[in-house]
Amino acid sequence: QVQLVESGGGLVQAGGSLTLSCAASLSLTAFSRCDVAWYRQAPGKQRELVTSLSRAGRVNWGDSVRGRFNPSRHDLRQEMYLHMNNLKPEDTAVYYCNLHDSTTSSDYWGQGIQVTVSS
């Protein structure tokens, strides 16, 4: 069973930075063919896409984080990251990492990690 383990969340002041990490229990081959993404869900709201990074290197952002958040990946480590800058209280949410393997039509999700931004 594939596991995605997130780390790096916590409490940060507005204007600060935080980097989330997500480690996957996948082989290098399997991880390399995945597109990676980060989602978040705030209390009372639907889960939304934060940013995605395809295996070809194409990046998409949600409108609210463009210019502040950036994804990256380290295939040799089977890890992905979310670099968050200039954090705002409205960024407070549970953040989830996601891997999508289009070859097998598989989706893998992390357990979620809390990020709280104080004003």
Side-chain angles (χ1 to χ4, degrees):
Q1 184 176 354
V2 176
Q3 287 188 321
L4 273 61
V5 180
E6 293 141 342
S7 60
L11 175 65
V12 63
Q13 287 188 330
S17 299
L18 208 58
T19 295
L20 302 183
S21 301
C22 178
S25 64
L26 282 171
S27 69
L28 170 59
T29 300
F31 186 90
S32 297
R33 65 172 183 247
C34 288
D35 299 326
V36 305
W38 290 90
Y39 289 77
R40 68 186 182 186
Q41 187 166 18
K45 296 188 177 181
Q46 290 188 332
R47 189 174 296 189
E48 63 174 357
L49 174 69
V50 176
T51 184
S52 64
L53 172 60
S54 74
R55 59 182 177 171
R58 190 167 98 177
V59 182
N60 287 314
W61 291 271
D63 289 340
S64 63
V65 304
R66 190 183 302 271
R68 300 187 298 121
F69 291 12
N70 284 296
S72 66
R73 60 191 293 167
H74 195 306
D75 288 3
L76 290 178
R77 295 178 181 170
Q78 293 95 66
E79 292 183 353
M80 54 190 283
Y81 311 97
L82 177 63
H83 308 278
M84 304 183 289
N85 299 303
N86 190 21
L87 282 157
K88 303 176 180 180
E90 51 264 42
D91 295 319
T92 294
V94 176
Y95 284 72
Y96 299 88
C97 57
N98 167 262
L99 294 179
H100 177 70
D101 185 345
S102 58
T103 303
T104 62
S105 298
S106 299
D107 263 298
Y108 308 108
W109 290 90
Q111 79 283 2
I113 192 165
Q114 179 70 45
V115 172
T116 302
V117 185
S118 63
S119 57

